[in-house]
Amino acid sequence: MKLKLALLATIALVAMPSYLMAQERGGVINVATVGEPPTLDPMTSTADLVGIVTQHIFETLYTFDAKWNVTPLLAESLPEISADGKTYTIKLRDGIKFHDGSDMTSEDVVASLNRWTKLASRGKQAAEFIETITATDPATVTIQLKQSYAPLASLLAFNNSAAIILPAEKQADVMTDFVGTGPYTLKERKADQYIQLQRFDGYKSREGESDGYGGARHQYLDEIRFVPVPDPNTRVEAAVSGQYDYIDALPVESFDRLKSAQATQPLVLKPFGYPIFVFNTAEGNVKNVEIRRAIRQALSMEDMLAAAFGSTDFYALDGNIYPSNFAWSTDAGVEGNYNIADPEGAKEAATAAGYDGKPIRILTSRQYEFHYKMAQVAAEYLKLAGFAVDLQVVDWATLTQRRADKGLWDIYITHSPFLPEPALIGSLSPSSPGWWNTPARNAAVAAFSSEVDPEKRLKLWADVQKAMYDEVPYMKIGDFNGVSSKSTKLEGVEASPWPYFWNASVTK
C-alpha cells in the first residue's frame, strides 16, 4: 500500500526538519500537555497523551516515516513475508540495550508480543490471526499466522495500544518498572505536577537521516519535562508568555494571538483528524441500534463543528471517514446518514425504537475544549428530540478510566488523527471501549484485514465504512485542523499528531 497511502506533500503529518544548522546539545524543555496520562504503559491505553509521553521511553519493532510508510525501528529491516502471507520473519538490530543495561534479544520480543496480544486492544485484534510467535534464534522472531493479515506491520508500528518491547522478566500485567529501549528514561513522576525524562546514555540510534518517526533519533536535550495543564485558556496564556517550550492542543481561536506573540509561534497540522462520538454498543440505552440511529438523526454536525472551531479555516463538513486526498476516501454509507439535523424526526424514531426516557450519558472533558463545545450543542439537539441528557464533564484521565466500564456511559467524545491504515482505528476492535462486535462488523473487517491486494483492500474498506454507518458504533463529526505552539528558541520540532522531542534542541 506504500504508493496508495502516500499523502500529499501539503499534509505530510511528520515533516522533515526545515533548518540546516547544527543543533546544540544540552538543555531542558518543558512541554505543556492537556493533562495527566492515566498510565505510562502504552500497551494498555489508546489515549494519545499516553503515546505522546511514552514514545520517548519505549520503542516498537517498526514505526512510521514522514510519508506514513512502515519503517524499521528495533527491527533491522521490514519483515520477510512468505508468499502465502502467513509467515513473518523479523530480524532484530544488534547492540540494543534496555534502560537497565541488559541486551535486547528475541526472547524479550516474543515475551513482549505475547503480552501485547493479551493486554492491548490492538494486540487482541491481531491475536485473532496469530498462530504462534517464536524466537527462531537470538536475533530473529517468527510470527506464524492462521491466515494472511495485511494490517499486522502497521499494528506493530503504532504508538497507541503499542507493541512496545520490554525485558522478558518485566512482563507483569500491571507495569511498575518502566524499562524500555527509548532515547529517554523515566527519572521522576509527580502526579499532576510533571513527568521528567532524562537522556539514556546507552541508547543506540538508527543511522542515516531522521524521517518522521523513523530514521535517526538524536538526543540533543538533557531532559524533557511533561507538565499537565488541563485548562485550555491557561495553556494559551502560557504559550503567549513563553512559559513552556511546547504547548499541545490549543483552541483554534487562539491562533491570531499566537501568531502575534513574541515568545512563541503557532504550529498548524492541516488536516489533523476528526472528532468522534463513540457509542456504548454493549450496555445501556444506546445498545439498541435504532436508538443510535435516532441520536445521529437529531444532530447537526455543522453546528457542532462551528461551535468547536469557529471558522471554516479550521474545519470541514465531511462524512467520509478519510478526506478526499487519501486513497482510502469513500462515501459508502454516508448519504442520508450524516448531518441530518432532524430532531423532530429523531423523536419519532426514538419513540418507535422504545426509548424509555432514561438519560443519555455523554462523557466529555474540557481539556480538549472542542470536545466540550460539541457536547453542549449535541445536548441541546438531543433535548429537542425528546432525549434526557446527562452531560458528564470530567478530566481526561478520568474519562479514559470510565470509558472502560460498560455500565458508566452511553456516549464518549474523542478524536483521532487520520491514520495510515484503517485497521488502526480503535473502534474497529471489539475490545475497544464501544465494544462493536456484530456479524456485519466481523464479516466486513475480516474480509478487509485478510486481503493483501491493494486495489481490493480499497473496495473492502468501503464495505467496512458502510457497516459503520449502518450500525453506528461511532459517528464522525467532520474534519479539523490542530493547533499547538512552540517557543521561538525550540528547534527540531514540527507539527505532528503525536509530538516527539528526541530531535529537539534549544538555542542558547
Side-chain angles (χ1 to χ4, degrees), residues 42-51 60 116 120-123 155 157-163 403 417 419 424 426 498:
M43 271 195 198
T44 62
S45 178
T46 58
D48 286 341
L49 179 56
V50 174
T60 47
W116 180 63
S121 61
R122 291 187 173 85
L155 287 167
F158 203 24
N159 71 357
N160 182 291
S161 188
R403 71 184 180 184
L419 301 172
L424 298 175
W498 305 282

Side-chain angles (χ1 to χ4, degrees), residues 260-281:
S260 61
Q262 297 296 314
T264 192
Q265 62 185 76
L267 297 175
V268 178
L269 189 56
K270 180 180 182 180
F272 176 93
Y274 55 107
I276 311 162
F277 281 29
V278 181
F279 287 100
N280 182 346
T281 69

Side-chain angles (χ1 to χ4, degrees), residues 211-248:
D211 186 7
Y213 294 92
R217 294 184 169 186
H218 302 289
Q219 301 168 281
Y220 298 118
L221 298 170
D222 296 329
E223 293 185 358
I224 306 167
R225 183 175 293 201
F226 295 93
V227 182
V229 185
D231 182 73
N233 293 323
T234 303
R235 291 201 300 278
V236 171
E237 296 305 322
V240 171
S241 67
Q243 182 179 354
Y244 295 97
D245 299 283
Y246 185 94
I247 303 90
D248 195 28

Side-chain angles (χ1 to χ4, degrees), residues 80-385:
E80 298 174 13
I81 305 174
S82 62
D84 63 4
K86 293 183 180 181
T87 305
Y88 282 59
T89 303
I90 301 171
K91 298 290 185 181
L92 306 178
R93 292 169 58 203
D94 61 7
I96 301 297
K97 289 190 176 294
F98 290 108
H99 296 157
D100 63 3
S102 61
D103 293 319
M104 184 192 77
T105 69
S106 58
E107 179 185 356
D108 304 301
V109 174
V110 170
S112 298
L113 294 184
N114 283 331
R115 183 178 188 268
W116 180 63
T117 58
K118 174 185 175 184
L119 299 180
S121 61
R122 291 187 173 85
K124 293 175 184 177
Q125 183 178 339
E128 298 177 19
F129 296 84
I130 295 174
E131 186 75 50
T132 58
I133 305 172
T134 57
T136 310
D137 60 49
T140 309
V141 171
T142 301
I143 301 177
Q144 188 67 44
L145 302 178
K146 301 172 186 176
Q147 63 185 76
S148 59
Y149 184 55
L152 181 60
S154 292
L155 287 167
L156 293 173
F158 203 24
N159 71 357
N160 182 291
S161 188
I164 57 171
I165 305 305
L166 308 167
E169 66 274 12
K170 299 183 185 297
Q171 300 288 331
D173 288 359
V174 178
M175 184 183 291
T176 57
D177 197 0
F178 302 91
V179 176
T181 61
Y184 289 85
T185 66
L186 178 63
K187 181 178 181 181
E188 185 178 23
R189 180 182 187 181
K190 286 194 173 182
D192 299 316
Q193 294 185 49
Y194 60 80
I195 296 169
Q196 186 177 12
L197 309 184
Q198 65 181 3
R199 184 191 297 114
F200 173 42
D201 291 332
Y203 182 67
K204 183 177 180 180
S205 171
R206 294 194 72 92
E207 297 180 353
E209 299 292 329
S210 300
D211 186 7
Y213 294 92
R217 294 184 169 186
H218 302 289
Q219 301 168 281
Y220 298 118
L221 298 170
D222 296 329
E223 293 185 358
I224 306 167
R225 183 175 293 201
F226 295 93
V227 182
V229 185
D231 182 73
N233 293 323
T234 303
R235 291 201 300 278
V236 171
E237 296 305 322
V240 171
S241 67
Q243 182 179 354
Y244 295 97
D245 299 283
Y246 185 94
I247 303 90
D248 195 28
L250 292 168
V252 295
E253 57 266 26
S254 67
F255 179 79
D256 289 339
R257 284 194 68 198
L258 296 170
K259 194 173 181 180
S260 61
Q262 297 296 314
T264 192
Q265 62 185 76
L267 297 175
V268 178
L269 189 56
K270 180 180 182 180
F272 176 93
Y274 55 107
I276 311 162
F277 281 29
V278 181
F279 287 100
N280 182 346
T281 69
E283 293 184 11
N285 277 328
V286 302
K287 181 180 180 180
N288 183 338
V289 66
E290 296 299 336
I291 298 293
R292 300 200 296 271
R293 289 171 181 163
I295 289 172
R296 181 177 63 191
Q297 182 177 351
L299 297 178
S300 168
M301 311 308 189
E302 187 169 12
D303 285 355
M304 285 191 285
L305 290 168
F309 303 107
S311 168
T312 52
D313 290 341
F314 296 100
Y315 75 86
L317 193 66
D318 184 7
N320 298 358
I321 301 301
Y322 284 89
S324 59
N325 48 3
F326 283 75
W328 297 113
S329 184
T330 173
D331 60 4
V334 175
E335 186 175 358
N337 292 317
Y338 176 76
N339 193 39
I340 306 170
D342 178 18
E344 291 184 4
K347 186 173 185 178
E348 294 178 6
T351 300
Y355 172 62
D356 59 6
K358 290 181 180 178
I360 303 298
R361 298 163 296 174
I362 302 177
L363 195 57
T364 191
S365 172
R366 296 200 71 164
Q367 285 161 261
Y368 294 104
E369 185 71 5
F370 66 97
H371 292 188
Y372 174 68
K373 290 178 178 178
M374 288 188 297
Q376 288 181 303
V377 174
E380 294 308 310
Y381 269 94
L382 292 178
K383 290 173 186 176
L384 289 175

Side-chain angles (χ1 to χ4, degrees), residues 423-454:
L424 298 175
I425 295 173
S427 292
L428 291 185
S429 172
S431 63
S432 179
W435 305 283
W436 184 35
N437 190 6
T438 65
R441 175 261 168 214
N442 296 339
V445 172
F448 172 68
S449 298
S450 60
E451 181 55 64
V452 295
D453 180 85

Side-chain angles (χ1 to χ4, degrees), residues 33-47:
T33 65
V34 300
E36 180 79 4
T39 178
L40 291 183
D41 181 355
M43 271 195 198
T44 62
S45 178
T46 58

